Amino acid sequence: ALPVLEASLALHQRHWSHSGEIILASQGDLAACLGDLGRLDEALVLKRVIFARRVATLGVSHEATILSGSNLVGSMNTLELWDESKLLLRDQLLPDARRSLGADHDLALMLNRNLAIALVNQPERTRGDLLEAETILQDNVRRRRRVFGPAHPGTLHAEHVLSLVREDIANE
């Protein structure tokens, strides 16, 4: 699949260079494929490009930009780039998502969960980081139950992550 996606991107860049959205979609497909193949560093580079282009063309508060930022943060967390992930989430993505989408939007809740994950998994975490993650996840679970219901997969996942954080706090 990778050679096909690379050829598709080259074709789009050659024939539809005026259509940034088509090129961004092709780059996104290629980044996803690279990630699936375990080529995480290469995927991260592409996700950075996509996010920067979305910021430049759509602005920081557009849902597609925030989604691209969420994809970038997911890759940062996978590569254990905790500090960079937290910085992007706290300084840009979360404030923009809350302002433009609302705090109850699924994307805003996913970003909150990613911040909690970064806080918990960083090697130099403190008890304060764990408590902050617990507070974030308690709010996340409460919102998800209210908006999506207790049986929603996102709610169940948030509850599971919260239980893991509580175990970490108890063992601290």
Side-chain angles (χ1 to χ4, degrees):
L2 182 61
V4 171
L5 292 171
E6 290 171 330
S8 176
L9 176 59
L11 180 73
H12 289 144
Q13 288 172 325
R14 185 172 37 256
H15 295 290
W16 291 284
S17 60
H18 61 282
S19 178
E21 197 55 42
I22 290 174
I23 292 170
L24 287 173
S26 292
Q27 287 174 321
D29 292 342
L30 183 57
C33 183
L34 288 167
D36 290 344
L37 292 171
R39 295 167 61 176
L40 303 176
D41 291 327
E42 293 172 79
L44 180 67
V45 169
L46 266 177
K47 289 178 182 183
R48 287 183 196 278
V49 168
I50 293 165
F51 178 65
R53 188 71 183 137
R54 292 233 188 260
V55 168
T57 58
L58 300 174
V60 295
S61 296
H62 194 281
E63 186 172 357
T65 303
I66 296 167
L67 179 58
S68 294
S70 178
N71 292 336
L72 176 57
V73 164
S75 290
M76 288 175 178
N77 283 352
T78 300
L79 289 167
E80 300 181 2
L81 301 172
W82 310 119
D83 290 336
E84 191 175 355
S85 174
K86 291 185 306 183
L87 186 67
L88 181 58
L89 283 162
R90 283 186 168 140
D91 290 355
Q92 186 172 353
L93 291 174
L94 278 167
D96 293 336
R98 289 178 186 135
R99 184 176 49 255
S100 64
L101 304 174
D104 291 339
H105 193 280
D106 189 43
L107 191 48
L109 294 169
M110 286 188 329
L111 291 170
N112 272 316
R113 186 193 68 228
N114 280 332
L115 176 57
I117 288 169
L119 288 165
V120 168
N121 288 315
Q122 62 186 343
E124 68 281 355
R125 75 177 185 205
T126 64
R127 181 165 179 77
D129 292 329
L130 290 173
L131 294 174
E132 181 182 356
E134 181 184 35
T135 300
I136 290 168
L137 291 167
Q138 285 172 332
D139 179 65
N140 196 302
V141 167
R142 183 180 53 78
R143 289 176 188 277
R144 284 192 172 280
R145 282 182 184 151
R146 182 173 39 80
V147 175
F148 300 108
H152 188 273
T155 305
L156 297 173
H157 181 69
E159 289 171 342
H160 175 70
V161 174
L162 177 59
S163 71
L164 295 175
V165 170
R166 286 181 171 155
E167 284 178 27
D168 284 350
I169 291 170
N171 294 330
E172 192 74 10

